[in-house]
Amino acid sequence: MRFHNVDPSRARPASSMHVSILFTILTSSFSNIRSTYALNADTVMPGDHNHPLIQYPESGIQTDASADPINPGFSKPSYEPEFSSMSRSMIGRTDAQAPLTLQNNQPGVMSIMPGDTQCWMFPRSALGDRSSPATSRIPSSDDLVDFDRMSEEMESRLIGSELKKRQGGDHSLYLTLSVCGQPSATVNNPSGPPPPLELYISQISGDQCPGPNFTGQQGWEPADGGFANYTDTTSGDSYFGVFAPTSSGFSGSYDYEITASIETPYTYYQDFQSLYYLDSDQNSSLLMTTNLTTSNTSISQWMQSGSPFSVFLHPQEDVMITGLLRSYCGLNNSAAIRTMNDIEVGMTTVAGGLPKQQYYVDGLNKSTAYYAVMALESNFSQSGSGNPGGGGTVWQDISFDTKADDNCQLIYNLTFCDDVSYAVPSNANNPTYSNMGALAAFYDNYSAAVYQNFTYSLEQIPCQTTPESQYSLATNCDNCAAAYKQWLCAVTIPRCVDYTSTEPYLQARNVAGNFTNGTMPSTEFGDLTFSAANQSVWFLNSSRVPAIDTTIQPGPYKEILPCIGLCYGIVQNCPASLGFTCPLAGKGQNHSYGYATGGNLTCNIPGAIWGISDASGTRPRSTTMWTVLSIAVVLSAGLVS
């Protein structure tokens, strides 16, 4: 909350807004992350109870005349709140200066033209109008959804002497402003969205319509990203003004919701990241939440919670969306993907064994940057008008890009290599392996067959003996098997990246082959991996596993190499009699393994969620639990067709 002596001439802020020949083995130090997918398309985003559509018999849904620049033909529907205690005169435009009355947890929905100020009040008589106790919709969630903490943080932002905490009979007051629609651009390629709405607050009876032209003392908040909030304590009437700044290059009105609550914010924006990008291919992406709990007592509750979180996606080329990224109703009206029809969701314990919600989003455009925003319709069992917290919550947006080439395809939910959830070498023109299920089975079956041969070798080791008789006092056969499996899945299931990518940590593969469209690599890609000399180099002209080139036939691609720690982990955890070794630096290591650099994805560890902080327990950490494989074992496995 900002506190100002407002002068009419002050400038108003505007907001604006990424196997076969396996003698090449290495490893870095990260945690052994194991888990099992339990991904089912088990939910559909509930209907939006906050904004029922206004139906017109002669034309169906009333729409805006302006077309969506990303989705031609789409226009936003009009909507009105579903509450009975407010008159119809409060819905729509008004230029009246007499304040309109808000009731507890009942949003006032209005349209406002640039240059106008609209006035609202929350009367003293509504301070005792508490809503019925609400049942939480989700289990306990340590740091993800903590509305009590949210309220405490907001309440600490009191706004000065005239609005400071009062003595006796005080009630907490939570005011939120959400922009549900905004003016349309009148120019091509606007540099950003229109300026944000501004929220003004007063508790002075003589200032019943606070706004930019009032020279007295008042609170002020811009609705950056489409959201503003204010918290204070009060024992009397409170007055609010919503001002729409003027700006050239835009036409039309803003649509907004303003809501006062004495229990909890009706809608909210969480200014921290809780959604993470795993990988993508040309037309789909895999996203995952952070751990939804770290408490063992609530794991089963979360796994049975029915995937409560939704997600909004929108192409970044439409800069107008940045004006709504913090608004639930704004995204629900304007995001390109705002229903769960193209999204498979489910709960999973991949990457650390703690509950997370996962999203497989299909129907995306290739070579496109997207915003993704995690959302919750309501923290409680009921949503919409009259319900505390019923207006929706959104979290900090993330960015990702879809791939350009068609020979990398996402796979996940594998049976054996259950931590694999990334894009792998593929061929959209291969009739047998063009779909995800068949492609995933090919890689998973191959890895499982190699692992089976490894178990025959491990059975020769006296694992079930006294500790002093085992091959090591520091580790055991179980650790060896786990390390081997994780390494095996990483080297037999390469993580695929566009051949056109120029990141220095990538390794080109199969450069002697043709792309899936029949063309060959050329100098246009700015490297020499396609030259005649390089086409005879084994680590460039083929994949790690020969069956990939002979069966899948992906053509040239680049690989994010397995982390070197995976190789070291096998050497450290398995009996020396199995003969596991890793290549040395400068002698094959740099073409077979990569190195982790902070939280960046510069090498591959199946099951690692890159970018999540160490506190979450899912970011790779130093450990000796890693995997390695001997050439003898690999070559004895045979190929899986």
Side-chain angles (χ1 to χ4, degrees), residues 193-251:
L197 292 181
E198 299 177 9
L199 176 63
Y200 294 84
I201 305 97
S202 170
Q203 291 183 359
I204 304 173
S205 60
D207 181 17
Q208 297 186 10
C209 192
N213 296 322
F214 183 72
T215 57
Q217 200 172 46
Q218 57 190 348
W220 166 73
E221 279 288 342
D224 292 329
F227 177 78
N229 66 83
Y230 152 73
T231 296
D232 194 14
T233 56
T234 182
S235 59
D237 297 336
S238 298
Y239 303 95
F240 321 112
V242 176
F243 172 72
T246 59
S247 179
S248 61
F250 302 95
S251 67

Side-chain angles (χ1 to χ4, degrees), residues 432-504:
T432 304
Y433 299 103
S434 60
N435 68 82
M436 183 195 299
L439 187 66
F442 165 81
Y443 283 103
D444 205 34
N445 292 341
Y446 183 91
S447 302
V450 176
Y451 183 83
Q452 183 60 56
N453 285 343
F454 163 76
T455 63
Y456 298 149
S457 298
L458 192 60
E459 288 172 356
Q460 308 307 311
I461 306 299
C463 296
Q464 306 303 321
T465 185
T466 59
E468 59 271 15
S469 300
Q470 292 186 6
Y471 65 90
S472 172
L473 295 177
T475 188
N476 54 45
C477 291
D478 289 341
N479 290 343
C480 172
Y484 180 86
K485 177 185 175 181
Q486 190 174 30
W487 171 85
L488 175 67
C489 292
V491 298
T492 57
I493 309 181
R495 184 161 187 158
C496 182
V497 178
D498 287 336
Y499 186 81
T500 52
S501 179
T502 59
E503 295 295 342

Side-chain angles (χ1 to χ4, degrees), residues 76-368:
K76 65 181 182 182
S78 299
Y79 59 93
E80 64 179 15
E82 185 179 342
F83 47 89
S84 58
S85 61
M86 297 177 63
S87 67
R88 182 60 182 85
S89 63
M90 296 180 62
I91 303 167
R93 285 192 57 196
T94 180
D95 296 321
Q97 293 302 301
L100 299 173
T101 301
L102 291 172
Q103 299 299 329
N104 190 37
N105 294 309
Q106 297 182 8
V109 179
M110 297 290 285
S111 293
I112 184 171
M113 293 298 295
D116 289 350
T117 300
Q118 293 176 349
C119 313
W120 300 85
M121 71 172 294
F122 189 71
R124 177 181 180 180
S125 59
L127 292 176
D129 186 21
R130 290 190 171 271
S131 302
S132 300
T135 302
S136 178
R137 183 183 176 193
I138 60 175
S140 173
S141 181
D142 309 318
D143 292 318
L144 182 62
V145 185
D146 189 340
F147 285 90
D148 290 336
R149 176 173 59 84
M150 287 163 36
S151 299
E152 290 171 2
E153 290 175 352
M154 293 171 63
E155 194 163 350
S156 69
R157 303 170 61 211
L158 301 181
I159 61 173
S161 58
E162 290 298 323
L163 302 175
K164 66 183 179 180
K165 186 174 181 180
R166 291 161 173 78
Q167 301 296 320
D170 288 349
H171 294 263
S172 295
L173 178 62
Y174 308 99
L175 182 70
T176 57
L177 174 67
S178 296
V179 179
C180 305
Q182 56 189 354
S184 302
T186 58
V187 297
N188 294 327
N189 303 314
S191 60
L197 292 181
E198 299 177 9
L199 176 63
Y200 294 84
I201 305 97
S202 170
Q203 291 183 359
I204 304 173
S205 60
D207 181 17
Q208 297 186 10
C209 192
N213 296 322
F214 183 72
T215 57
Q217 200 172 46
Q218 57 190 348
W220 166 73
E221 279 288 342
D224 292 329
F227 177 78
N229 66 83
Y230 152 73
T231 296
D232 194 14
T233 56
T234 182
S235 59
D237 297 336
S238 298
Y239 303 95
F240 321 112
V242 176
F243 172 72
T246 59
S247 179
S248 61
F250 302 95
S251 67
S253 63
Y254 294 84
D255 301 324
Y256 70 89
E257 289 182 350
I258 184 170
T259 315
S261 174
I262 59 175
E263 288 100 359
T264 190
Y266 180 76
T267 186
Y268 203 71
Y269 165 69
Q270 295 274 24
D271 194 16
F272 56 88
Q273 183 178 348
S274 290
L275 182 68
Y276 293 86
Y277 165 72
L278 299 186
D279 207 352
S280 69
D281 53 31
Q282 266 195 336
N283 303 117
S284 59
S285 178
L286 204 57
L287 308 172
M288 184 179 290
T289 70
T290 188
N291 291 327
L292 298 176
T293 184
T294 56
S295 171
N296 290 332
T297 60
S298 60
I299 290 179
S300 61
Q301 292 178 309
W302 271 108
M303 295 304 293
Q304 300 171 20
S305 64
S307 304
F309 300 98
S310 57
V311 66
F312 298 109
L313 292 95
H314 198 86
Q316 293 186 19
E317 61 185 346
D318 177 17
V319 298
M320 295 286 287
I321 199 66
T322 59
L324 302 172
L325 286 176
R326 300 181 177 185
S327 168
Y328 184 93
C329 67
L331 290 169
N332 200 47
N333 289 335
S334 299
I337 296 179
R338 56 189 185 275
T339 72
M340 304 302 278
N341 294 338
D342 293 319
I343 305 176
E344 295 182 10
V345 298
M347 304 302 296
T348 179
T349 55
V350 70
L354 294 173
K356 305 168 192 67
Q357 186 171 323
Q358 183 166 274
Y359 312 81
Y360 173 73
V361 187
D362 201 7
L364 304 178
N365 299 323
K366 71 175 185 178
S367 303
T368 301

